[in-house]
Amino acid sequence: MLDSVVQLITVLLIFILVLVLTYYVTKLTAKLQQGKYQNANVEILETSKIAQTKYIQLVRIGKKYFSYVVCKENVTLLGELAEDDLAESVKESDNTAAKSFKDIFDRLKK
């Protein structure tokens, strides 16, 4: 009986350890990926799904804006956009640093 209880507690501790380890490894991976793309000159501003495997993306490359159609097999340039053609929300995301989920959620609630 005592052996079974000890075995159950050991399994629970290992399970909790694995969960905690997974949490921190996921956070570390997200930070590394964010840092990798944060310093780049290419930023995906918006993505809209138009079909099962087709998306329209609004991309900032340097100081210019482009729209692309991204499919499973290829990417097609639709054209270059002037900054005046962009919605205010896209311009704001271009000028602000990464926000926390709470800030974004509070803005969407309004």
Side-chain angles (χ1 to χ4, degrees):
M1 177 73 174
L2 183 62
D3 187 40
S4 297
V5 172
V6 170
Q7 190 176 19
L8 176 66
I9 291 173
T10 304
V11 169
L12 283 174
L13 288 175
I14 291 172
F15 178 71
I16 291 171
L17 179 68
V18 167
L19 285 178
V20 169
L21 185 64
T22 303
Y23 174 77
Y24 285 111
V25 167
T26 303
K27 285 190 70 100
L28 176 67
T29 303
K31 272 187 187 178
L32 291 174
Q33 289 295 325
Q34 183 181 16
K36 179 180 175 183
Y37 292 114
Q38 191 172 8
N39 298 327
N41 286 319
V42 178
E43 180 181 5
I44 297 174
L45 301 174
E46 281 187 35
T47 301
S48 297
K49 187 173 187 176
I50 57 176
Q52 183 71 19
T53 59
K54 295 181 183 179
Y55 300 89
I56 293 180
Q57 289 188 336
L58 180 61
V59 180
R60 181 184 58 81
I61 302 174
K63 293 185 178 185
K64 295 184 178 184
Y65 298 91
F66 299 94
S67 60
Y68 290 93
V69 173
V70 179
C71 302
K72 186 176 180 180
E73 299 282 329
N74 57 14
V75 176
T76 305
L77 174 65
L78 290 177
E80 184 175 350
L81 300 169
E83 189 172 352
D84 299 337
D85 295 337
L86 302 177
E88 289 298 320
S89 63
V90 173
K91 292 178 189 176
E92 288 174 8
S93 69
D94 185 29
N95 296 328
T96 58
K99 297 181 181 180
S100 69
F101 177 76
K102 184 180 184 309
D103 294 338
I104 295 169
F105 186 71
D106 289 341
R107 190 181 79 190
L108 289 175
K109 280 191 340 187
K110 291 179 183 177

